[in-house]
Amino acid sequence: MAACDDRPNLVERAVFKLAEPKNQARLLQVAWKISLLMMIMGFMIIIKTIYPDFM
């Protein structure tokens, strides 16, 4: 039988660390910036498709 210890493994420690409010706020900021960048890139693709000589 394997010995059962009460220490959390690496995945559990990472989940506990991400559950802290400070880290959740940082993740939200990064996700918001990524989504904003994707939206801007999408608008650029749409504009380049409609007006090929733009920019």
Side-chain angles (χ1 to χ4, degrees):
M1 285 190 158
C4 181
D5 57 353
D6 289 339
R7 292 182 6 191
N9 62 15
L10 183 62
V11 175
E12 289 175 340
R13 283 187 283 169
V15 169
F16 290 147
K17 194 73 171 168
L18 289 175
E20 295 176 1
K22 181 176 66 172
N23 293 333
Q24 284 183 344
R26 188 174 298 134
L27 283 174
L28 184 62
Q29 287 176 349
V30 170
W32 189 86
K33 289 175 184 176
I34 290 171
S35 66
L36 182 64
L37 179 67
M38 290 176 62
M39 185 180 69
I40 291 170
M41 289 174 59
F43 280 130
M44 289 173 61
I45 291 170
I46 291 169
I47 290 172
K48 283 294 275 184
T49 304
I50 295 172
Y51 304 109
D53 296 331
F54 188 74
M55 288 196 261

